[in-house]
Amino acid sequence: MRPSLLDPLFAPVTALEGIGPKVADMIGRVVPADVTDRAARVADLLFTLPYSVIDRRSRPEIAYAAEGQIVTLEVTVDRHQPPPRGKSNVPYRVFAFDDTGQIALTFFHVKGDWLQKALPIGAAVVVSGRMEWFNGRPSMVHPDHMALASDAAGLPLIEPVYPLTAGLSSKVLRRAIGQALARLPDLPEWQDEKVMRPQTFPGFADALTRIHNPLQTIDAATDGAAWRRLAYDEFLAGQIALALVRARVRRLSGRPLTGDGAIEAKIRAALPYSLTGAQETALNEIHADLARPERMLRLLQGDVGSGKTVVGLLAMARAAEAGGQSALMAPTEILARQHFSTIAPLAAEAGLEAAILTGREKGRERTQILERLACGEIDIVVGTHALFQEAVTFHDLVLAIVDEQHRFGVHQRLAMTAKGNAPDMLVMTATPIPRTLVLTAFGDMDVSRLTEKPAGRRPIHTVTLPLERLDELMDRIESAIGEGQKVYWICPLVEESDEIKLMSAEDRFAMLKPIFGTAVGLVHGRMSGREKDEAMAAFKAGETRILVGTTVIEVGVDVPDATIIVIEHAERFGLAQLHQLRGRVGRGDKASTCVLLYKAPLGETAKRRLSIMRETEDGFRIAEEDLKLRGEGELLGTRQSGTPGFQVAHIEAHADLLEVARDDARLLLSRDPELQSPRGEAIRLLLYLFGRDEAVRLLRAG
């Protein structure tokens, strides 16, 4: 049950004066929380923070007010000049003066009698707005604020600017936020004095008041103490929620998985190479986790082609030595089949039985796999999320490996732990995630990083090329194919679109076909699974030499003798995706090239992206740069994946607070695991405020 103290904040915004369903719907479009599945609440308004402020403290006299500057002037009204009758397109002008000159206050489509009341002739008034000069004459069009000099004390000198939507005025939104602030109950302090003092954090209510009613520009700045206080509140709520998930998962007691290393030794002997130092370190960490009675929750981060699958397979070998089964879950069928083709032959060498289970296995074949899983004949099963959603029962599932984790959120992690008797969990991601994002999305996990490429991998030469030089590229590809090389050609769309003028995969395929004939293949997401497999198999076997496709080949496709990848309209792709795509080449022993084909002129961000791609192949550096360019929400695909998109905090600006919040959360829960102390009770309020109530439910389910 939510504490009744918070009821005023969880009321719908229609409970506020002057807000009906229509305005409430518009407010729902601008609040930072995702309110698609519920009505906007009063608390959402508190966290709708301004994105900038207007400083009206500049008070020059008319003659000294610069063009374009926002100024506040104290003037005397001289005369009114209404438009001629019937000429509604001519503005209404009010002339006013001070000791240095005259100004025209200009209004379009206004009622004259209203203006005569607001700006009576001979009155001293204060007006604030943007200064404009026409032919040497000063003017202010539709001043933002006007008041008699005697009433001007209430004029906001620092005015917050909020995000708006069609039909919602800043006046209405500000009034609603003011009412929300007035409803804020007297809440106990949930922050530790030891954190607050060095950071000069104000109290929660004081921080909200400062940001919404700033007296200085710093009050509403993201790097000001008030905003940082709220960002820290949000980080702490997130870190406590993750720590509670971790505690819950660990509490479902695992069991020690130990083995004699015999199966692992057979797989190592079957490998055509030896492991890198980073792979050995990661494996040692995994083995140590498996040997403990608590459950493993580990994130294995590796760059494209750093050899995560092999580390995962050797972990599964340990599970088999301990007498249990393992499951590997991949986000797409293509990737599941790719993993299976790598794993099955190596598993067979060690006497392990491996099977694949995706949506494509039907009828009798599917029934047999399910029966063999249930009776324990299958040691390793590879599949898509179908493995954990359908009526799949395991004989003894002890290890679950999830690939491409950023597509699964914390909720899915909890759902997966329900299968099997609390299996150990290893999560693999081929998208290097910046350290700060690892803390926010995977704070409940231990992390291993694979930072080296396997021996024999050659660096990839990356070049940028404008579309105007396509002919040169075609000549280069013709000679490469003559030398027996293979080429990927990636396009952003499947078919031509009227809205977006980009080259589609089907158009490019049609253009290359007359030149290269049957050597060109096509693969895209609208094909059936079988058609995709056939196109990939033909490319792998060398029946086709150029594979035109969309980003369906982004993850996990392995053709070692493909040496060139052309990414068309590279300016349309994000950094992480460009890096993923580039990783499709450079998998053999030949030198490889990535051609980033772009349409000029390039914007600043696109230019920066392409130059980073030229400068480095280090996925972790690319991920950090991507975070700077795009922000955390886009990077992790926040909306789909259940990873935290923040209402208040900005990872880029507040990353330093994350570490503090994580340490604070761990210390608090080690002393008060059920949140029953006075601070624990206050923290429960914080969890509700930032929408982490699932974590409170975990406490009760404990």
Side-chain angles (χ1 to χ4, degrees):
M1 287 286 291
R2 185 176 64 235
S4 56
L5 183 63
L6 294 177
D7 288 351
L9 301 182
F10 280 77
V13 292
T14 46
L16 301 175
E17 199 181 311
I19 295 183
K22 199 172 167 191
V23 176
D25 183 48
M26 288 188 271
I27 286 173
R29 282 181 235 153
V30 299
V31 298
D34 186 5
V35 297
T36 44
D37 58 343
R38 62 170 175 82
R41 297 187 253 211
V42 173
D44 298 325
L45 280 167
L46 294 178
F47 297 130
T48 304
L49 304 186
Y51 62 85
S52 70
V53 293
I54 298 172
D55 188 347
R56 300 191 184 282
R57 288 174 300 179
S58 171
R59 300 188 78 139
E61 292 173 296
I62 293 171
Y64 305 115
E67 163 75 35
Q69 189 185 4
I70 287 179
V71 296
T72 302
L73 303 173
E74 191 158 339
V75 293
T76 303
V77 179
D78 182 29
R79 61 196 165 91
H80 283 237
Q81 187 185 58
R85 201 176 277 280
K87 295 270 180 111
S88 60
N89 58 337
V90 175
Y92 190 121
R93 288 190 173 88
V94 178
F95 292 93
F97 62 90
D98 67 9
D99 292 345
T100 66
Q102 189 183 54
I103 186 169
L105 306 173
T106 307
F107 303 87
F108 291 89
H109 311 295
V110 291
K111 291 191 166 65
D113 51 354
W114 173 76
L115 273 179
Q116 278 158 0
K117 275 190 197 135
L119 300 170
I121 293 171
V125 295
V126 172
V127 293
S128 186
R130 191 173 297 282
M131 200 67 189
E132 295 177 25
W133 288 77
F134 292 113
N135 303 327
R137 291 183 176 175
S139 162
M140 190 181 282
V141 179
H142 282 281
D144 302 321
H145 293 282
M146 304 185 300
L148 294 172
S150 55
D151 303 334
L155 186 76
L157 294 180
I158 308 280
E159 189 179 352
V161 182
Y162 293 97
L164 295 173
T165 186
L168 182 66
S169 73
S170 58
K171 205 172 189 174
V172 168
L173 183 61
R174 286 201 62 183
R175 199 166 59 233
I177 289 169
Q179 289 188 65
L181 278 172
R183 278 177 159 243
L184 191 60
D186 187 12
L187 298 170
E189 182 55 75
W190 46 72
Q191 292 302 359
D192 187 346
E193 187 62 34
K194 290 191 187 76
V195 173
M196 288 184 67
R197 206 178 305 113
Q199 296 283 355
T200 65
F201 284 162
F204 179 71
D206 187 16
L208 284 167
T209 306
R210 274 195 216 179
I211 293 173
H212 289 299
N213 301 311
L215 299 177
Q216 305 286 334
T217 49
I218 189 70
D219 289 342
T222 51
D223 57 351
W227 201 306
R228 282 173 63 81
R229 152 77 207 226
L230 298 181
Y232 187 75
D233 284 338
E234 186 164 25
F235 282 156
L236 185 64
Q239 291 302 308
I240 285 174
L242 281 167
L244 287 170
V245 167
R246 181 190 177 93
R248 171 108 174 105
V249 167
R250 291 270 157 104
R251 214 176 306 156
L252 297 163
S253 60
R255 69 176 201 235
L257 299 181
T258 52
D260 57 5
I263 296 177
E264 188 184 328
K266 285 179 188 166
I267 291 174
R268 282 178 182 257
L271 291 173
Y273 50 80
S274 55
L275 299 191
T276 64
Q279 284 174 311
E280 292 287 8
T281 304
L283 203 54
N284 288 338
E285 289 168 344
I286 290 165
H287 283 342
D289 281 358
L290 293 176
R292 291 191 189 101
E294 301 84 22
R295 295 182 60 207
M296 171 169 80
L297 257 187
R298 185 168 284 278
L299 176 68
L300 178 64
Q301 276 195 283
D303 208 344
V304 181
S306 58
K308 293 177 303 300
T309 311
V310 169
V311 173
L313 175 59
L314 291 170
M316 294 195 274
R318 176 54 51 94
E321 287 167 8
Q325 293 170 299
S326 305
L328 169 59
M329 172 161 120
T332 65
E333 191 173 320
I334 279 192
L335 187 50
R337 294 194 176 280
Q338 187 69 52
H339 279 314
F340 186 66
S341 66
T342 307
I343 285 169
L346 289 166
E349 291 280 339
L352 296 178
E353 193 67 35
I356 184 161
L357 191 65
T358 67
R360 206 191 303 176
E361 280 67 42
K362 299 260 190 315
R364 183 157 177 69
E365 182 190 10
R366 184 177 197 84
T367 310
Q368 277 183 340
I369 294 170
L370 291 174
E371 283 169 0
R372 293 175 65 218
L373 261 181
C375 72
E377 276 178 36
I378 292 173
D379 302 295
I380 294 172
V381 62
V382 180
T384 52
H385 57 280
L387 281 179
F388 289 92
Q389 285 184 337
E390 296 178 25
V392 180
T393 50
F394 292 86
H395 176 65
D396 184 17
L397 177 65
V398 295
L399 175 62
I401 301 183
V402 184
D403 194 10
E404 280 306 294
Q405 164 69 13
H406 65 285
R407 305 184 191 200
F408 301 98
V410 174
H411 313 307
Q412 287 92 327
R413 294 214 274 283
L414 282 169
M416 280 182 58
T417 57
K419 282 273 178 194
N421 183 18
D424 285 300
M425 193 180 296
L426 177 68
V427 163
M428 306 195 298
T429 171
T431 311
I433 303 170
R435 176 165 171 66
T436 47
L437 289 189
V438 167
L439 282 181
T440 61
F442 312 106
D444 55 332
M445 303 196 135
D446 300 307
V447 182
S448 299
R449 288 173 89 161
L450 298 181
T451 48
E452 305 166 59
K453 284 197 172 183
R457 284 282 170 94
R458 301 276 295 268
I460 301 165
H461 179 53
T462 303
V463 294
T464 50
L465 196 71
L467 272 165
E468 289 76 18
R469 292 171 59 190
L470 190 61
D471 293 348
E472 293 172 42
L473 178 62
M474 299 302 281
D475 295 343
R476 167 81 183 84
I477 283 176
E478 208 155 356
S479 62
I481 285 175
E483 293 163 17
Q485 296 182 43
K486 289 181 187 170
V487 181
Y488 288 112
W489 194 304
I490 307 299
C491 299
L493 303 174
V494 174
E495 57 192 32
E496 195 181 355
S497 148
D498 294 333
E499 288 88 64
I500 320 171
K501 292 288 168 250
L502 299 176
M503 178 61 74
S504 73
E506 288 177 347
D507 289 346
R508 183 55 75 200
F509 174 71
M511 198 219 90
L512 294 172
K513 193 92 177 135
I515 307 168
F516 298 102
T518 55
V520 190
L522 176 67
V523 64
H524 58 69
R526 292 199 191 156
M527 292 175 156
S528 70
R530 188 147 279 123
E531 287 171 325
K532 282 185 221 164
D533 282 354
E534 283 165 10
M536 289 307 307
F539 185 57
K540 222 167 177 173
E543 293 159 29
T544 54
R545 291 269 156 201
I546 301 177
L547 184 63
V548 180
T550 53
T551 54
V552 76
I553 72 143
E554 173 188 347
V555 179
V557 176
D558 196 6
V559 181
D561 54 349
T563 54
I564 298 173
I565 185 163
V566 178
I567 305 174
E568 190 156 355
H569 287 294
E571 76 279 2
R572 305 285 301 207
F573 293 95
L575 258 178
Q577 201 170 27
L578 288 172
H579 180 60
Q580 279 278 354
L581 287 165
R582 174 168 64 184
R584 298 302 106 216
V585 296
R587 294 176 159 248
D589 49 7
K590 287 197 176 71
S592 292
T593 307
C594 170
V595 181
L596 303 172
L597 204 52
Y598 66 87
K599 187 173 177 8
L602 286 176
E604 276 312 303
T605 305
K607 209 178 279 179
R608 180 84 193 105
R609 260 190 222 136
L610 299 189
S611 73
I612 291 163
M613 287 294 293
R614 276 204 314 268
E615 287 162 24
T616 182
E617 275 189 70
D618 175 356
F620 289 97
R621 189 191 147 201
I622 285 171
E624 295 288 352
E625 294 288 345
D626 206 12
L627 176 62
K628 285 178 202 159
L629 290 175
R630 290 203 292 167
E632 83 279 355
E634 287 189 55
L635 211 61
L636 282 171
T638 296
R639 284 287 163 248
Q640 312 82 293
S641 64
T643 50
F646 292 108
Q647 298 181 63
V648 172
H650 296 288
I651 289 279
E652 310 89 302
H654 305 127
D656 61 307
L657 296 173
L658 246 177
E659 295 269 9
V660 189
R662 182 162 83 147
D663 294 344
D664 192 359
R666 289 195 164 176
L667 183 64
L668 170 71
L669 288 170
S670 69
R671 292 173 176 167
D672 181 16
E674 297 297 318
L675 296 182
Q676 285 169 336
S677 66
R679 186 183 178 204
E681 291 289 345
I683 289 278
R684 288 174 180 240
L685 299 173
L686 170 72
L687 291 171
Y688 278 109
L689 275 174
F690 282 101
R692 305 283 180 189
D693 7 340
E694 269 128 2
V696 185
R697 283 199 284 282
L698 278 183
L699 278 171
R700 286 201 299 276

